[in-house]
Every structure is written in structure tokens, then in C-alpha cells.
Amino acid sequence: MTDRLGARAYGITLLDAGTGRHYSARGVRIRIGRGHECEVQPVDAPESVVSRIHAELMVGSSGGLAVRDAGSKHGTFLNDEPVTTAVPVRLGDRITLGRGGPTLIVEGLGTAPEIPVARRPGDARRLGRLVGVLLVLVLLLAGVGYGVYRLLAK
């Protein structure tokens, strides 16, 4: 596996063969399962078959996207073959989560423009405050500039 910090992020689109629902995700690690921490959560996935974190898509040693089982109870299958080590994923491949579980078809696959940056919860609020302060400063400067213009125009 490549170093995750230097790895190129991938984007993937999966089609749930049973429900027709599409899933899109991107990153150097994309988790599939029923847990809230998973980037892909197949709806209607039977709890008895699909683990909380069932499988992972990640950048493999060759630099391409690979699937691996994440220690699930019922296994992960790629094109009906059990996944025992990380296996490269290609367009049209079928990822099945446990026997009788959901089958996800790889519909779109490619490198993403950039790796998403993890942000702390307060970052968005700080950025919003900064934008607000800058806006007030611009308005004040515009008002002062207009006042000076009016004084000089007399």
C-alpha cells in the first residue's frame, strides 16, 4: 500500500444492483458498511449479513483502487470470488457484501482532483467570522472613501 499522505485520492460511483441506488464517494480510503462512519452505506442492507465496516476501497500498492475485506463476518466478494487480500477494482466489477448481501457495481472510477482535507468543527465558524469582518472592513473603507470624495468634490 502507498503512503496515505502521498496517495492520490480516488472517486468512485457504485450502483446497488438490488435497489438501483447510486453511491458516490472519494478519498484514499472509502469504507463500505452499515456504520455511520462509512462513506458508502447500502440502504436495506441486512444487519445479519453486512458488518458495520464490511469492506474498504483504498489506494493499492500499484497506485490504483483496490478492495479488501475489513474483517467482516460474512466476507466480501469481487465478481463472485472471495476477497482475501487487497484486489484491484475496475469498471464493471461487482462487489458483494456477504453471501446474499447487496451487490455494488463499479460504474465510475477515477482519480479525484485532490485529497479531502480533514477540518476541525470550528474551522467553518472561524472562516465565516473572518469573511464577516472583511466585509465590514470593505464597507467601512468604501464609506470613508466616499466621504473623502464628497469633501474633495466641493
Side-chain angles (χ1 to χ4, degrees):
M1 213 166 35
T2 59
D3 177 26
R4 288 183 190 223
L5 293 176
R8 181 82 188 250
Y10 269 80
I12 191 164
T13 303
L14 301 166
L15 168 68
D16 187 321
T19 66
R21 182 171 177 174
H22 286 88
Y23 301 93
S24 293
R26 71 178 204 153
V28 292
R29 182 181 76 163
I30 299 166
R31 296 166 293 187
I32 304 171
R34 48 182 181 79
H36 295 293
E37 65 273 27
C38 293
E39 288 75 23
V40 176
Q41 300 171 7
V43 288
D44 302 329
E47 191 171 311
S48 60
V49 176
V50 178
S51 298
R52 187 174 55 81
I53 301 175
H54 197 100
E56 289 182 330
L57 295 163
M58 69 245 199
V59 178
S61 57
S62 65
L65 204 61
V67 64
R68 77 169 191 87
D69 185 77
S72 68
K73 184 176 180 183
H74 296 284
T76 301
F77 302 86
L78 182 66
N79 301 321
D80 300 321
E81 295 295 321
V83 173
T84 56
T85 62
V87 182
V89 175
R90 293 175 180 77
L91 285 175
D93 281 349
R94 295 178 326 280
I95 301 167
T96 305
L97 308 177
R99 296 260 183 234
T103 296
L104 304 170
I105 301 168
V106 179
E107 280 199 328
L109 178 66
T111 55
E114 62 185 46
I115 296 173
V117 176
R119 301 204 186 278
R120 295 182 307 240
D123 284 352
R125 273 181 267 138
R126 275 194 236 53
L127 181 61
R129 278 190 224 122
L130 179 61
V131 168
V133 168
L134 289 174
L135 182 61
V136 167
L137 285 173
V138 166
L139 291 174
L140 280 172
L141 289 173
V144 168
Y146 180 72
V148 169
Y149 166 77
R150 297 275 296 172
L151 283 173
L152 295 175
K154 289 186 179 184

PDB file of all heavy atoms in Angstrom, residues 23-60:
ATOM      1  N   TYR A  23     -24.263   5.381  -5.285  1.00  0.00           N
ATOM      2  CA  TYR A  23     -23.438   5.904  -4.202  1.00  0.00           C
ATOM      3  C   TYR A  23     -22.185   6.513  -4.818  1.00  0.00           C
ATOM      4  O   TYR A  23     -21.594   5.920  -5.718  1.00  0.00           O
ATOM      5  CB  TYR A  23     -23.017   4.799  -3.229  1.00  0.00           C
ATOM      6  CG  TYR A  23     -24.183   4.091  -2.587  1.00  0.00           C
ATOM      7  CD1 TYR A  23     -24.706   2.934  -3.150  1.00  0.00           C
ATOM      8  CD2 TYR A  23     -24.772   4.595  -1.435  1.00  0.00           C
ATOM      9  CE1 TYR A  23     -25.780   2.286  -2.570  1.00  0.00           C
ATOM     10  CE2 TYR A  23     -25.853   3.950  -0.852  1.00  0.00           C
ATOM     11  CZ  TYR A  23     -26.350   2.794  -1.421  1.00  0.00           C
ATOM     12  OH  TYR A  23     -27.419   2.163  -0.854  1.00  0.00           O
ATOM     13  N   SER A  24     -21.790   7.666  -4.337  1.00  0.00           N
ATOM     14  CA  SER A  24     -20.551   8.296  -4.781  1.00  0.00           C
ATOM     15  C   SER A  24     -19.723   8.624  -3.560  1.00  0.00           C
ATOM     16  O   SER A  24     -20.253   9.073  -2.542  1.00  0.00           O
ATOM     17  CB  SER A  24     -20.832   9.582  -5.555  1.00  0.00           C
ATOM     18  OG  SER A  24     -21.480   9.289  -6.768  1.00  0.00           O
ATOM     19  N   ALA A  25     -18.425   8.397  -3.673  1.00  0.00           N
ATOM     20  CA  ALA A  25     -17.517   8.705  -2.576  1.00  0.00           C
ATOM     21  C   ALA A  25     -16.145   8.974  -3.166  1.00  0.00           C
ATOM     22  O   ALA A  25     -15.873   8.634  -4.320  1.00  0.00           O
ATOM     23  CB  ALA A  25     -17.463   7.545  -1.586  1.00  0.00           C
ATOM     24  N   ARG A  26     -15.288   9.626  -2.362  1.00  0.00           N
ATOM     25  CA  ARG A  26     -13.922   9.839  -2.806  1.00  0.00           C
ATOM     26  C   ARG A  26     -13.001   9.875  -1.606  1.00  0.00           C
ATOM     27  O   ARG A  26     -13.407  10.176  -0.495  1.00  0.00           O
ATOM     28  CB  ARG A  26     -13.783  11.091  -3.640  1.00  0.00           C
ATOM     29  CG  ARG A  26     -13.925  12.365  -2.893  1.00  0.00           C
ATOM     30  CD  ARG A  26     -13.724  13.546  -3.800  1.00  0.00           C
ATOM     31  NE  ARG A  26     -13.322  14.647  -2.942  1.00  0.00           N
ATOM     32  CZ  ARG A  26     -12.605  15.650  -3.326  1.00  0.00           C
ATOM     33  NH1 ARG A  26     -12.201  15.716  -4.562  1.00  0.00           N
ATOM     34  NH2 ARG A  26     -12.277  16.597  -2.497  1.00  0.00           N
ATOM     35  N   GLY A  27     -11.723   9.566  -1.872  1.00  0.00           N
ATOM     36  CA  GLY A  27     -10.716   9.582  -0.821  1.00  0.00           C
ATOM     37  C   GLY A  27      -9.664   8.522  -1.086  1.00  0.00           C
ATOM     38  O   GLY A  27      -9.714   7.815  -2.096  1.00  0.00           O
ATOM     39  N   VAL A  28      -8.717   8.400  -0.176  1.00  0.00           N
ATOM     40  CA  VAL A  28      -7.721   7.345  -0.300  1.00  0.00           C
ATOM     41  C   VAL A  28      -8.185   6.084   0.414  1.00  0.00           C
ATOM     42  O   VAL A  28      -7.636   5.011   0.222  1.00  0.00           O
ATOM     43  CB  VAL A  28      -6.331   7.773   0.250  1.00  0.00           C
ATOM     44  CG1 VAL A  28      -5.721   8.847  -0.626  1.00  0.00           C
ATOM     45  CG2 VAL A  28      -6.424   8.227   1.678  1.00  0.00           C
ATOM     46  N   ARG A  29      -9.240   6.220   1.242  1.00  0.00           N
ATOM     47  CA  ARG A  29      -9.872   5.069   1.885  1.00  0.00           C
ATOM     48  C   ARG A  29     -11.371   5.323   1.917  1.00  0.00           C
ATOM     49  O   ARG A  29     -11.824   6.333   2.459  1.00  0.00           O
ATOM     50  CB  ARG A  29      -9.350   4.868   3.305  1.00  0.00           C
ATOM     51  CG  ARG A  29      -9.977   3.645   3.960  1.00  0.00           C
ATOM     52  CD  ARG A  29      -9.474   3.462   5.350  1.00  0.00           C
ATOM     53  NE  ARG A  29     -10.128   4.449   6.218  1.00  0.00           N
ATOM     54  CZ  ARG A  29     -10.153   4.350   7.531  1.00  0.00           C
ATOM     55  NH1 ARG A  29      -9.537   3.384   8.143  1.00  0.00           N
ATOM     56  NH2 ARG A  29     -10.768   5.268   8.234  1.00  0.00           N
ATOM     57  N   ILE A  30     -12.126   4.420   1.323  1.00  0.00           N
ATOM     58  CA  ILE A  30     -13.583   4.541   1.280  1.00  0.00           C
ATOM     59  C   ILE A  30     -14.153   3.299   1.950  1.00  0.00           C
ATOM     60  O   ILE A  30     -13.978   2.182   1.461  1.00  0.00           O
ATOM     61  CB  ILE A  30     -14.083   4.659  -0.180  1.00  0.00           C
ATOM     62  CG1 ILE A  30     -13.478   5.910  -0.837  1.00  0.00           C
ATOM     63  CG2 ILE A  30     -15.606   4.682  -0.225  1.00  0.00           C
ATOM     64  CD1 ILE A  30     -13.618   5.941  -2.350  1.00  0.00           C
ATOM     65  N   ARG A  31     -14.820   3.500   3.089  1.00  0.00           N
ATOM     66  CA  ARG A  31     -15.374   2.369   3.845  1.00  0.00           C
ATOM     67  C   ARG A  31     -16.798   2.074   3.385  1.00  0.00           C
ATOM     68  O   ARG A  31     -17.570   2.983   3.116  1.00  0.00           O
ATOM     69  CB  ARG A  31     -15.345   2.686   5.338  1.00  0.00           C
ATOM     70  CG  ARG A  31     -13.914   2.845   5.845  1.00  0.00           C
ATOM     71  CD  ARG A  31     -13.869   3.482   7.191  1.00  0.00           C
ATOM     72  NE  ARG A  31     -14.344   4.869   7.050  1.00  0.00           N
ATOM     73  CZ  ARG A  31     -14.310   5.763   8.008  1.00  0.00           C
ATOM     74  NH1 ARG A  31     -13.844   5.455   9.175  1.00  0.00           N
ATOM     75  NH2 ARG A  31     -14.751   6.985   7.796  1.00  0.00           N
ATOM     76  N   ILE A  32     -17.107   0.775   3.322  1.00  0.00           N
ATOM     77  CA  ILE A  32     -18.438   0.313   2.919  1.00  0.00           C
ATOM     78  C   ILE A  32     -19.001  -0.527   4.051  1.00  0.00           C
ATOM     79  O   ILE A  32     -18.342  -1.461   4.525  1.00  0.00           O
ATOM     80  CB  ILE A  32     -18.379  -0.532   1.627  1.00  0.00           C
ATOM     81  CG1 ILE A  32     -17.701   0.241   0.500  1.00  0.00           C
ATOM     82  CG2 ILE A  32     -19.779  -0.988   1.220  1.00  0.00           C
ATOM     83  CD1 ILE A  32     -17.422  -0.604  -0.735  1.00  0.00           C
ATOM     84  N   GLY A  33     -20.216  -0.222   4.482  1.00  0.00           N
ATOM     85  CA  GLY A  33     -20.858  -0.991   5.547  1.00  0.00           C
ATOM     86  C   GLY A  33     -22.086  -0.267   6.042  1.00  0.00           C
ATOM     87  O   GLY A  33     -22.504   0.739   5.476  1.00  0.00           O
ATOM     88  N   ARG A  34     -22.656  -0.777   7.133  1.00  0.00           N
ATOM     89  CA  ARG A  34     -23.869  -0.155   7.644  1.00  0.00           C
ATOM     90  C   ARG A  34     -23.599   0.881   8.730  1.00  0.00           C
ATOM     91  O   ARG A  34     -24.498   1.583   9.177  1.00  0.00           O
ATOM     92  CB  ARG A  34     -24.873  -1.190   8.116  1.00  0.00           C
ATOM     93  CG  ARG A  34     -24.364  -2.237   8.983  1.00  0.00           C
ATOM     94  CD  ARG A  34     -25.400  -3.277   9.385  1.00  0.00           C
ATOM     95  NE  ARG A  34     -24.730  -4.218  10.247  1.00  0.00           N
ATOM     96  CZ  ARG A  34     -24.474  -4.000  11.533  1.00  0.00           C
ATOM     97  NH1 ARG A  34     -24.886  -2.900  12.092  1.00  0.00           N
ATOM     98  NH2 ARG A  34     -23.823  -4.890  12.234  1.00  0.00           N
ATOM     99  N   GLY A  35     -22.340   1.043   9.142  1.00  0.00           N
ATOM    100  CA  GLY A  35     -21.987   2.009  10.180  1.00  0.00           C
ATOM    101  C   GLY A  35     -22.024   3.441   9.674  1.00  0.00           C
ATOM    102  O   GLY A  35     -21.790   3.713   8.497  1.00  0.00           O
ATOM    103  N   HIS A  36     -22.287   4.361  10.590  1.00  0.00           N
ATOM    104  CA  HIS A  36     -22.368   5.781  10.230  1.00  0.00           C
ATOM    105  C   HIS A  36     -21.026   6.346   9.790  1.00  0.00           C
ATOM    106  O   HIS A  36     -20.974   7.358   9.102  1.00  0.00           O
ATOM    107  CB  HIS A  36     -22.921   6.603  11.393  1.00  0.00           C
ATOM    108  CG  HIS A  36     -24.332   6.266  11.725  1.00  0.00           C
ATOM    109  ND1 HIS A  36     -25.378   6.537  10.882  1.00  0.00           N
ATOM    110  CD2 HIS A  36     -24.878   5.651  12.805  1.00  0.00           C
ATOM    111  CE1 HIS A  36     -26.500   6.114  11.417  1.00  0.00           C
ATOM    112  NE2 HIS A  36     -26.235   5.568  12.582  1.00  0.00           N
ATOM    113  N   GLU A  37     -19.936   5.714  10.189  1.00  0.00           N
ATOM    114  CA  GLU A  37     -18.613   6.190   9.794  1.00  0.00           C
ATOM    115  C   GLU A  37     -18.253   5.803   8.365  1.00  0.00           C
ATOM    116  O   GLU A  37     -17.248   6.259   7.827  1.00  0.00           O
ATOM    117  CB  GLU A  37     -17.539   5.668  10.771  1.00  0.00           C
ATOM    118  CG  GLU A  37     -17.368   4.167  10.749  1.00  0.00           C
ATOM    119  CD  GLU A  37     -18.328   3.419  11.684  1.00  0.00           C
ATOM    120  OE1 GLU A  37     -19.431   3.898  11.981  1.00  0.00           O
ATOM    121  OE2 GLU A  37     -17.956   2.320  12.113  1.00  0.00           O
ATOM    122  N   CYS A  38     -19.071   4.982   7.725  1.00  0.00           N
ATOM    123  CA  CYS A  38     -18.802   4.517   6.357  1.00  0.00           C
ATOM    124  C   CYS A  38     -19.215   5.569   5.328  1.00  0.00           C
ATOM    125  O   CYS A  38     -20.258   6.208   5.461  1.00  0.00           O
ATOM    126  CB  CYS A  38     -19.530   3.212   6.081  1.00  0.00           C
ATOM    127  SG  CYS A  38     -18.890   1.838   7.058  1.00  0.00           S
ATOM    128  N   GLU A  39     -18.390   5.715   4.304  1.00  0.00           N
ATOM    129  CA  GLU A  39     -18.694   6.648   3.222  1.00  0.00           C
ATOM    130  C   GLU A  39     -19.786   6.089   2.310  1.00  0.00           C
ATOM    131  O   GLU A  39     -20.509   6.839   1.668  1.00  0.00           O
ATOM    132  CB  GLU A  39     -17.424   6.946   2.406  1.00  0.00           C
ATOM    133  CG  GLU A  39     -16.401   7.807   3.108  1.00  0.00           C
ATOM    134  CD  GLU A  39     -15.605   7.082   4.192  1.00  0.00           C
ATOM    135  OE1 GLU A  39     -15.491   5.838   4.160  1.00  0.00           O
ATOM    136  OE2 GLU A  39     -15.093   7.769   5.082  1.00  0.00           O
ATOM    137  N   VAL A  40     -19.897   4.767   2.221  1.00  0.00           N
ATOM    138  CA  VAL A  40     -20.950   4.112   1.441  1.00  0.00           C
ATOM    139  C   VAL A  40     -21.725   3.214   2.401  1.00  0.00           C
ATOM    140  O   VAL A  40     -21.177   2.284   2.980  1.00  0.00           O
ATOM    141  CB  VAL A  40     -20.359   3.279   0.279  1.00  0.00           C
ATOM    142  CG1 VAL A  40     -21.461   2.525  -0.461  1.00  0.00           C
ATOM    143  CG2 VAL A  40     -19.582   4.171  -0.680  1.00  0.00           C
ATOM    144  N   GLN A  41     -23.016   3.515   2.557  1.00  0.00           N
ATOM    145  CA  GLN A  41     -23.890   2.749   3.445  1.00  0.00           C
ATOM    146  C   GLN A  41     -25.065   2.210   2.634  1.00  0.00           C
ATOM    147  O   GLN A  41     -26.057   2.917   2.441  1.00  0.00           O
ATOM    148  CB  GLN A  41     -24.421   3.637   4.568  1.00  0.00           C
ATOM    149  CG  GLN A  41     -23.363   4.237   5.441  1.00  0.00           C
ATOM    150  CD  GLN A  41     -23.958   5.275   6.398  1.00  0.00           C
ATOM    151  OE1 GLN A  41     -25.165   5.456   6.490  1.00  0.00           O
ATOM    152  NE2 GLN A  41     -23.096   5.957   7.102  1.00  0.00           N
ATOM    153  N   PRO A  42     -24.950   0.990   2.155  1.00  0.00           N
ATOM    154  CA  PRO A  42     -26.069   0.442   1.369  1.00  0.00           C
ATOM    155  C   PRO A  42     -27.345   0.386   2.208  1.00  0.00           C
ATOM    156  O   PRO A  42     -27.357  -0.198   3.286  1.00  0.00           O
ATOM    157  CB  PRO A  42     -25.604  -0.963   0.999  1.00  0.00           C
ATOM    158  CG  PRO A  42     -24.131  -0.949   1.194  1.00  0.00           C
ATOM    159  CD  PRO A  42     -23.854   0.058   2.266  1.00  0.00           C
ATOM    160  N   VAL A  43     -28.379   1.072   1.728  1.00  0.00           N
ATOM    161  CA  VAL A  43     -29.657   1.040   2.440  1.00  0.00           C
ATOM    162  C   VAL A  43     -30.260  -0.350   2.272  1.00  0.00           C
ATOM    163  O   VAL A  43     -29.954  -1.074   1.332  1.00  0.00           O
ATOM    164  CB  VAL A  43     -30.632   2.122   1.910  1.00  0.00           C
ATOM    165  CG1 VAL A  43     -30.191   3.493   2.332  1.00  0.00           C
ATOM    166  CG2 VAL A  43     -30.793   2.040   0.414  1.00  0.00           C
ATOM    167  N   ASP A  44     -31.111  -0.712   3.199  1.00  0.00           N
ATOM    168  CA  ASP A  44     -31.753  -2.025   3.193  1.00  0.00           C
ATOM    169  C   ASP A  44     -30.742  -3.163   3.295  1.00  0.00           C
ATOM    170  O   ASP A  44     -31.053  -4.295   2.970  1.00  0.00           O
ATOM    171  CB  ASP A  44     -32.623  -2.225   1.939  1.00  0.00           C
ATOM    172  CG  ASP A  44     -33.697  -1.160   1.814  1.00  0.00           C
ATOM    173  OD1 ASP A  44     -34.162  -0.660   2.850  1.00  0.00           O
ATOM    174  OD2 ASP A  44     -34.062  -0.821   0.677  1.00  0.00           O
ATOM    175  N   ALA A  45     -29.504  -2.844   3.716  1.00  0.00           N
ATOM    176  CA  ALA A  45     -28.505  -3.894   3.888  1.00  0.00           C
ATOM    177  C   ALA A  45     -28.875  -4.694   5.135  1.00  0.00           C
ATOM    178  O   ALA A  45     -29.046  -4.122   6.204  1.00  0.00           O
ATOM    179  CB  ALA A  45     -27.117  -3.292   4.035  1.00  0.00           C
ATOM    180  N   PRO A  46     -29.023  -6.012   4.989  1.00  0.00           N
ATOM    181  CA  PRO A  46     -29.404  -6.813   6.159  1.00  0.00           C
ATOM    182  C   PRO A  46     -28.303  -6.798   7.223  1.00  0.00           C
ATOM    183  O   PRO A  46     -27.149  -7.054   6.936  1.00  0.00           O
ATOM    184  CB  PRO A  46     -29.601  -8.213   5.587  1.00  0.00           C
ATOM    185  CG  PRO A  46     -28.993  -8.199   4.232  1.00  0.00           C
ATOM    186  CD  PRO A  46     -28.858  -6.785   3.792  1.00  0.00           C
ATOM    187  N   GLU A  47     -28.703  -6.453   8.444  1.00  0.00           N
ATOM    188  CA  GLU A  47     -27.751  -6.360   9.545  1.00  0.00           C
ATOM    189  C   GLU A  47     -27.073  -7.700   9.804  1.00  0.00           C
ATOM    190  O   GLU A  47     -25.923  -7.744  10.221  1.00  0.00           O
ATOM    191  CB  GLU A  47     -28.485  -5.881  10.798  1.00  0.00           C
ATOM    192  CG  GLU A  47     -27.562  -5.490  11.918  1.00  0.00           C
ATOM    193  CD  GLU A  47     -28.312  -4.817  13.044  1.00  0.00           C
ATOM    194  OE1 GLU A  47     -29.104  -3.902  12.784  1.00  0.00           O
ATOM    195  OE2 GLU A  47     -28.081  -5.223  14.189  1.00  0.00           O
ATOM    196  N   SER A  48     -27.774  -8.788   9.523  1.00  0.00           N
ATOM    197  CA  SER A  48     -27.202 -10.105   9.774  1.00  0.00           C
ATOM    198  C   SER A  48     -26.127 -10.480   8.754  1.00  0.00           C
ATOM    199  O   SER A  48     -25.341 -11.390   8.985  1.00  0.00           O
ATOM    200  CB  SER A  48     -28.310 -11.160   9.763  1.00  0.00           C
ATOM    201  OG  SER A  48     -28.942 -11.168   8.499  1.00  0.00           O
ATOM    202  N   VAL A  49     -26.053  -9.777   7.616  1.00  0.00           N
ATOM    203  CA  VAL A  49     -25.079 -10.104   6.571  1.00  0.00           C
ATOM    204  C   VAL A  49     -23.997  -9.024   6.458  1.00  0.00           C
ATOM    205  O   VAL A  49     -22.819  -9.344   6.315  1.00  0.00           O
ATOM    206  CB  VAL A  49     -25.781 -10.291   5.203  1.00  0.00           C
ATOM    207  CG1 VAL A  49     -24.771 -10.520   4.109  1.00  0.00           C
ATOM    208  CG2 VAL A  49     -26.775 -11.438   5.262  1.00  0.00           C
ATOM    209  N   VAL A  50     -24.386  -7.754   6.521  1.00  0.00           N
ATOM    210  CA  VAL A  50     -23.448  -6.651   6.310  1.00  0.00           C
ATOM    211  C   VAL A  50     -22.925  -6.140   7.652  1.00  0.00           C
ATOM    212  O   VAL A  50     -23.705  -5.763   8.521  1.00  0.00           O
ATOM    213  CB  VAL A  50     -24.099  -5.502   5.513  1.00  0.00           C
ATOM    214  CG1 VAL A  50     -23.137  -4.348   5.344  1.00  0.00           C
ATOM    215  CG2 VAL A  50     -24.570  -6.007   4.166  1.00  0.00           C
ATOM    216  N   SER A  51     -21.615  -6.114   7.784  1.00  0.00           N
ATOM    217  CA  SER A  51     -20.975  -5.638   9.013  1.00  0.00           C
ATOM    218  C   SER A  51     -20.994  -4.119   9.080  1.00  0.00           C
ATOM    219  O   SER A  51     -21.211  -3.442   8.080  1.00  0.00           O
ATOM    220  CB  SER A  51     -19.530  -6.121   9.069  1.00  0.00           C
ATOM    221  OG  SER A  51     -19.481  -7.533   9.100  1.00  0.00           O
ATOM    222  N   ARG A  52     -20.715  -3.596  10.277  1.00  0.00           N
ATOM    223  CA  ARG A  52     -20.674  -2.149  10.484  1.00  0.00           C
ATOM    224  C   ARG A  52     -19.658  -1.529   9.522  1.00  0.00           C
ATOM    225  O   ARG A  52     -19.968  -0.589   8.813  1.00  0.00           O
ATOM    226  CB  ARG A  52     -20.313  -1.845  11.934  1.00  0.00           C
ATOM    227  CG  ARG A  52     -20.408  -0.404  12.311  1.00  0.00           C
ATOM    228  CD  ARG A  52     -20.187  -0.185  13.803  1.00  0.00           C
ATOM    229  NE  ARG A  52     -18.945  -0.741  14.299  1.00  0.00           N
ATOM    230  CZ  ARG A  52     -17.750  -0.153  14.185  1.00  0.00           C
ATOM    231  NH1 ARG A  52     -17.656   1.017  13.609  1.00  0.00           N
ATOM    232  NH2 ARG A  52     -16.673  -0.726  14.666  1.00  0.00           N
ATOM    233  N   ILE A  53     -18.433  -2.032   9.496  1.00  0.00           N
ATOM    234  CA  ILE A  53     -17.460  -1.690   8.456  1.00  0.00           C
ATOM    235  C   ILE A  53     -17.140  -3.014   7.783  1.00  0.00           C
ATOM    236  O   ILE A  53     -16.445  -3.854   8.332  1.00  0.00           O
ATOM    237  CB  ILE A  53     -16.182  -1.042   9.025  1.00  0.00           C
ATOM    238  CG1 ILE A  53     -16.519   0.239   9.782  1.00  0.00           C
ATOM    239  CG2 ILE A  53     -15.187  -0.746   7.898  1.00  0.00           C
ATOM    240  CD1 ILE A  53     -15.330   0.879  10.470  1.00  0.00           C
ATOM    241  N   HIS A  54     -17.683  -3.230   6.614  1.00  0.00           N
ATOM    242  CA  HIS A  54     -17.625  -4.525   5.944  1.00  0.00           C
ATOM    243  C   HIS A  54     -16.411  -4.649   5.017  1.00  0.00           C
ATOM    244  O   HIS A  54     -15.704  -5.640   5.024  1.00  0.00           O
ATOM    245  CB  HIS A  54     -18.914  -4.754   5.146  1.00  0.00           C
ATOM    246  CG  HIS A  54     -19.122  -6.170   4.758  1.00  0.00           C
ATOM    247  ND1 HIS A  54     -19.963  -7.001   5.449  1.00  0.00           N
ATOM    248  CD2 HIS A  54     -18.579  -6.915   3.767  1.00  0.00           C
ATOM    249  CE1 HIS A  54     -19.931  -8.206   4.891  1.00  0.00           C
ATOM    250  NE2 HIS A  54     -19.094  -8.174   3.869  1.00  0.00           N
ATOM    251  N   ALA A  55     -16.189  -3.625   4.200  1.00  0.00           N
ATOM    252  CA  ALA A  55     -15.091  -3.651   3.224  1.00  0.00           C
ATOM    253  C   ALA A  55     -14.532  -2.247   3.082  1.00  0.00           C
ATOM    254  O   ALA A  55     -15.163  -1.268   3.487  1.00  0.00           O
ATOM    255  CB  ALA A  55     -15.593  -4.163   1.872  1.00  0.00           C
ATOM    256  N   GLU A  56     -13.337  -2.162   2.497  1.00  0.00           N
ATOM    257  CA  GLU A  56     -12.710  -0.871   2.237  1.00  0.00           C
ATOM    258  C   GLU A  56     -12.160  -0.834   0.829  1.00  0.00           C
ATOM    259  O   GLU A  56     -11.639  -1.824   0.330  1.00  0.00           O
ATOM    260  CB  GLU A  56     -11.537  -0.624   3.191  1.00  0.00           C
ATOM    261  CG  GLU A  56     -11.920  -0.365   4.604  1.00  0.00           C
ATOM    262  CD  GLU A  56     -10.701  -0.072   5.468  1.00  0.00           C
ATOM    263  OE1 GLU A  56      -9.603  -0.579   5.178  1.00  0.00           O
ATOM    264  OE2 GLU A  56     -10.875   0.678   6.436  1.00  0.00           O
ATOM    265  N   LEU A  57     -12.321   0.323   0.204  1.00  0.00           N
ATOM    266  CA  LEU A  57     -11.649   0.610  -1.060  1.00  0.00           C
ATOM    267  C   LEU A  57     -10.506   1.530  -0.701  1.00  0.00           C
ATOM    268  O   LEU A  57     -10.696   2.499   0.033  1.00  0.00           O
ATOM    269  CB  LEU A  57     -12.608   1.308  -2.028  1.00  0.00           C
ATOM    270  CG  LEU A  57     -13.794   0.472  -2.484  1.00  0.00           C
ATOM    271  CD1 LEU A  57     -14.861   1.369  -3.079  1.00  0.00           C
ATOM    272  CD2 LEU A  57     -13.343  -0.557  -3.489  1.00  0.00           C
ATOM    273  N   MET A  58      -9.302   1.213  -1.162  1.00  0.00           N
ATOM    274  CA  MET A  58      -8.165   2.062  -0.843  1.00  0.00           C
ATOM    275  C   MET A  58      -7.161   2.034  -1.971  1.00  0.00           C
ATOM    276  O   MET A  58      -7.226   1.181  -2.847  1.00  0.00           O
ATOM    277  CB  MET A  58      -7.507   1.619   0.457  1.00  0.00           C
ATOM    278  CG  MET A  58      -6.803   0.312   0.351  1.00  0.00           C
ATOM    279  SD  MET A  58      -7.633  -0.809   1.366  1.00  0.00           S
ATOM    280  CE  MET A  58      -6.443  -2.039   1.592  1.00  0.00           C
ATOM    281  N   VAL A  59      -6.246   2.988  -1.931  1.00  0.00           N
ATOM    282  CA  VAL A  59      -5.202   3.051  -2.942  1.00  0.00           C
ATOM    283  C   VAL A  59      -4.239   1.900  -2.666  1.00  0.00           C
ATOM    284  O   VAL A  59      -3.680   1.795  -1.578  1.00  0.00           O
ATOM    285  CB  VAL A  59      -4.479   4.413  -2.907  1.00  0.00           C
ATOM    286  CG1 VAL A  59      -3.372   4.455  -3.936  1.00  0.00           C
ATOM    287  CG2 VAL A  59      -5.480   5.536  -3.155  1.00  0.00           C
ATOM    288  N   GLY A  60      -4.091   1.020  -3.649  1.00  0.00           N
ATOM    289  CA  GLY A  60      -3.245  -0.157  -3.503  1.00  0.00           C
ATOM    290  C   GLY A  60      -1.790   0.130  -3.838  1.00  0.00           C
ATOM    291  O   GLY A  60      -1.411   1.258  -4.172  1.00  0.00           O
TER     292      GLY A  60
END
